[in-house]
Amino acid sequence: RMPEIHPICCVYLMWSFCKPRVMCQDLFDAVAARVIPEVRSLDRCGLAMFSWNYSYINYKLEEVYKVSAAEALRAERLEELTPRDLANLMGAFAKAGIR
């Protein structure tokens, strides 16, 4: 049923598992598979939270960071990101050891 859930809702659903550190690899893989192809549909907070979720629980999926970086660097996206969004993105990448 994951295809029926909007990507933003997937990110927030994952956050509700990550924040208390509830590891659910099947869910996290399904969220990545659902969100990655539609990363542009995320709002600015959702984009930052997408990579933050994976870094917070130390679950490294390279593709999550690759698409998050590409999306964050689009000119249109850079215009809307707030300092907090950028800090969350950079913090997630740093925690995950992504350069």
Side-chain angles (χ1 to χ4, degrees):
R1 299 196 65 188
M2 193 62 77
E4 299 172 22
I5 303 172
H6 192 281
I8 291 173
C9 295
C10 291
V11 170
Y12 281 91
L13 172 65
M14 184 177 172
W15 179 87
S16 69
F17 280 76
C18 293
K19 191 63 177 167
R21 297 187 189 271
V22 176
M23 186 63 173
C24 186
Q25 185 172 345
D26 290 341
L27 174 65
F28 303 158
D29 290 342
V31 168
R34 172 70 178 109
V35 174
I36 287 171
E38 295 189 46
V39 73
R40 284 191 175 192
S41 70
L42 296 177
D43 61 9
R44 62 180 181 75
C45 294
L47 177 63
M49 190 178 293
F50 184 45
S51 55
W52 182 92
N53 285 341
Y54 289 90
S55 70
Y56 188 77
I57 57 164
N58 298 314
Y59 188 47
K60 194 169 181 179
L61 287 178
E62 296 286 337
E63 191 66 18
V64 167
Y65 299 100
K66 181 179 176 183
V67 300
S68 295
E71 177 59 18
L73 292 173
R74 276 192 323 111
E76 297 86 2
R77 182 64 83 166
L78 275 173
E79 289 179 7
E80 70 181 22
L81 291 173
T82 66
R84 182 182 206 153
D85 300 325
L86 292 170
N88 287 338
L89 279 163
M90 289 187 296
F93 278 63
K95 187 173 187 311
I98 304 294
R99 296 175 183 241

